[in-house]
């Protein structure tokens, strides 16, 4: 009996087996080259285009995405087998960068993607900035949480400063700037001057203006200041009665909140003894604002924002009214 030649389908199956072996080898290679990845990507594109079945096409697309991700990561991170080595912890410009392979996101310097467990990256233990290993020595911005003076401005409206006080340099990265340049931007949070790389004219509320003027109008802040405010929004506890006691007389919602919070403190002893309060979890209804159970005087920036939009008053009033039933 004469042996029949392979059909087109059989040839495709053979090609698929050979190609799968090649692609698997590329993906498993711990130190691929850009040239080999380029060849693999082109071959995989052709294979994807020639696949008509929907499920098979999706599988081919997944392989193509993995190859492109590997190439992108290699271009941005470099090879981990490079002779250049860095310590587990690196200190630079106030950043304490800690090495980790569990990071994902985008590099704060080059904006390149960082994929979890594919490449090692570094993150600052204070401001949580993420960087490729290859970008560490190119960092120009200082750690936003390293300067204690800037942290204290959370409750103080910053005075105006002269550019000469900064030696005509960006307050963050140190780049030379001048009044005549259109690239100089002022930050409303600290009154300092920044270059266009460190100040993108992004609008953000200023906590000090909220505390002293109940002013929620967004203003232009430098990236450094935005990071500080974002970090402290739920962590810094503010004693409004010490900072601006008149706020409770001039803002109705704050006056109502003070009265309700004082009731919560009075009811606190009963919460732990009342079976209904324990059964219905009165304490748990304030679990996101644990400081409301401990004291009636402290607020976070988040509390003030929620007070202004009405959600906080509704939340606290509901807890008090349910207990009073």
């Amino acid at each position: 009996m004469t042996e029949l030649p392979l059909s087109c389908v059989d040839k495709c199956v053979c090609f698929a087996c050979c190609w799968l072996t090649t692609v698997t080898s590329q993906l498993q290679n711990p130190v691929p080259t850009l040239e080999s990845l380029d060849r693999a990507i082109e071959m995989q594109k052709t294979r994807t285009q020639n696949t008509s079945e929907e499920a098979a096409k999706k599988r081919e697309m997944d392989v193509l995405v993995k190859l492109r991700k590997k190439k992108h990561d290699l271009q941005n991170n470099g090879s981990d087998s490079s002779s250049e080595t860095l310590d587990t912890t690196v200190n630079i410009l106030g950043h304490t960068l800690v090495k980790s392979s569990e990071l994902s996101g985008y590099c704060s310097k080059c904006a390149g993607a960082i994929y979890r467990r594919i490449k090692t990256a570094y993150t600052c233990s204070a401001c949580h900035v993420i960087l490729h290993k290859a970008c560490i020595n190119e960092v120009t911005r200082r750690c936003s949480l390293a300067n204690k003076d800037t942290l204290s401005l959370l409750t103080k409206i910053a005075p105006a400063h002269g550019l000469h006080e900064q030696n005509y340099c960006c307050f963050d990265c140190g780049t030379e700037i001048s009044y005549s340049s259109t690239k100089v931007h002022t930050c409303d949070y600290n009154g300092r001057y920044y270059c266009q790389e460190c100040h993108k004219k992004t609008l953000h509320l200023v906590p000090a203006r909220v505390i002293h003027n109940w002013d929620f109008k967004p203003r232009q802040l430098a990236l450094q200041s935005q990071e500080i405010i974002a970090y402290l929004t739920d962590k810094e506890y503010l004693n409004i009665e010490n900072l601006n006691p008149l706020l409770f007389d001039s803002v109705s919602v704050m006056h109502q909140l003070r009265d309700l919070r004082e009731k919560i403190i009075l009811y606190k002893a009963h919460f732990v003894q009342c079976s209904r309060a324990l059964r219905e979890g009165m304490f748990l209804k304030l679990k996101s604002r644990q400081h409301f159970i401990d004291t009636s005087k402290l607020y976070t920036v988040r509390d003030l924002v929620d007070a202004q939009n009405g959600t906080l008053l509704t939340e606290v009033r509901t807890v008090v009214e349910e207990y009073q039933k």
Side-chain angles (χ1 to χ4, degrees):
M1 184 174 181
T2 306
E3 185 177 352
L4 294 175
L6 288 173
S7 66
C8 294
V9 175
D10 293 330
K11 290 180 180 179
C12 289
V13 171
C14 292
F15 176 78
C17 293
C18 295
W19 174 241
L20 183 59
T21 302
T22 304
V23 169
T24 304
S25 175
Q26 288 287 353
L27 290 175
Q28 291 178 345
N29 186 1
V31 191
T33 64
L34 289 175
E35 292 77 10
S36 63
L37 285 173
D38 284 333
R39 289 195 300 271
I41 288 171
E42 289 303 318
M43 293 175 67
Q44 183 63 21
K45 284 168 63 178
T46 302
R47 177 176 171 77
T48 303
Q49 292 169 358
N50 294 336
T51 304
S52 57
E53 186 185 352
E54 191 65 28
K57 197 176 187 69
K58 185 178 182 302
R59 288 195 296 270
E60 302 304 337
M61 284 296 297
D62 289 341
V63 174
L64 183 59
V65 168
K66 289 179 181 179
L67 286 169
R68 284 176 169 169
K69 183 187 293 186
K70 202 167 188 68
K71 177 186 174 182
H72 182 276
D73 190 68
L74 184 62
Q75 286 176 323
N76 286 282
N77 290 18
S79 172
D80 279 343
S81 63
S82 169
S83 58
E84 179 188 1
T85 59
L86 289 174
D87 295 333
T88 303
T89 303
V90 179
N91 295 300
I92 181 171
L93 295 177
H95 297 284
T96 301
L97 300 173
V98 181
K99 185 177 181 180
S100 175
S101 60
E102 299 297 318
L103 299 171
S104 61
Y106 294 91
C107 177
S108 298
K109 181 60 183 177
C110 70
I114 295 175
Y115 302 107
R116 181 171 175 260
R117 293 186 179 177
I118 294 180
K119 286 292 181 179
T120 299
Y122 286 76
T123 181
C124 178
S125 59
C127 66
H128 304 294
V129 65
I130 303 176
L131 294 163
H132 289 121
K133 181 179 73 173
C135 294
I136 288 179
N137 293 328
E138 299 178 18
V139 172
T140 55
R141 294 188 54 226
R142 297 180 178 85
C143 178
S144 56
L145 301 179
N147 190 338
K148 301 302 181 183
D149 292 335
T150 58
L151 298 181
S152 65
L153 289 171
L154 191 72
T155 60
K156 300 176 183 177
I157 298 178
H161 294 279
L163 189 52
H164 66 279
E165 297 177 35
Q166 302 175 202
N167 295 322
Y168 297 93
C169 294
C170 172
F171 191 69
D172 193 350
C173 69
T175 300
E176 186 175 338
I177 54 178
S178 64
Y179 285 120
S180 59
S181 173
T182 58
K183 299 178 181 179
V184 176
H185 307 309
T186 308
C187 175
D188 194 85
Y189 175 76
N190 56 17
R192 299 293 184 175
Y193 299 89
Y194 295 81
C195 69
Q196 63 178 355
E197 293 300 319
C198 299
H199 194 314
K200 303 295 185 181
K201 293 186 176 181
T202 309
L203 297 177
H204 200 289
L205 68 83
V206 181
R209 294 189 181 276
V210 173
I211 294 169
H212 296 287
N213 301 327
W214 202 241
D215 180 2
F216 289 83
K217 178 182 176 181
R219 289 174 167 77
Q220 292 185 0
L221 300 188
L223 297 176
Q224 180 187 60
S225 300
Q226 293 177 53
E227 291 169 359
I228 293 171
I229 294 173
Y231 178 78
L232 297 177
T233 292
D234 297 309
K235 294 181 174 64
E236 186 72 11
Y237 297 107
L238 311 168
N239 190 326
I240 303 299
E241 290 190 5
N242 288 343
L243 295 169
N244 182 16
L246 296 178
L247 193 65
F248 295 98
D249 297 327
S250 57
V251 180
S252 174
V253 65
M254 292 300 291
H255 179 79
Q256 295 177 65
L257 278 172
R258 181 175 62 180
D259 291 344
L260 289 171
R261 291 190 61 181
E262 287 176 349
K263 288 182 180 179
I264 290 177
I265 298 302
L266 288 174
Y267 297 160
K268 182 178 178 180
H270 298 280
F271 278 175
V272 296
Q273 297 178 7
C274 175
S275 59
R276 185 177 67 86
L278 292 173
R279 184 173 60 254
E280 296 180 3
M282 293 292 187
F283 279 133
L284 295 179
K285 295 179 180 180
L286 290 172
K287 63 180 180 180
S288 62
R289 308 183 199 271
Q290 186 63 40
H291 52 290
F292 277 34
I293 300 173
D294 299 329
T295 177
S296 63
K297 299 182 182 298
L298 300 182
Y299 293 81
T300 64
V301 175
R302 179 82 63 197
D303 294 335
L304 298 179
V305 173
D306 290 344
Q308 192 268 344
N309 61 35
T311 59
L312 180 59
L313 182 60
T314 302
E315 180 182 342
V316 176
R317 179 180 287 157
T318 299
V319 172
V320 172
E321 290 177 352
E322 285 186 4
Y323 178 75
Q324 289 176 336
K325 289 179 181 180

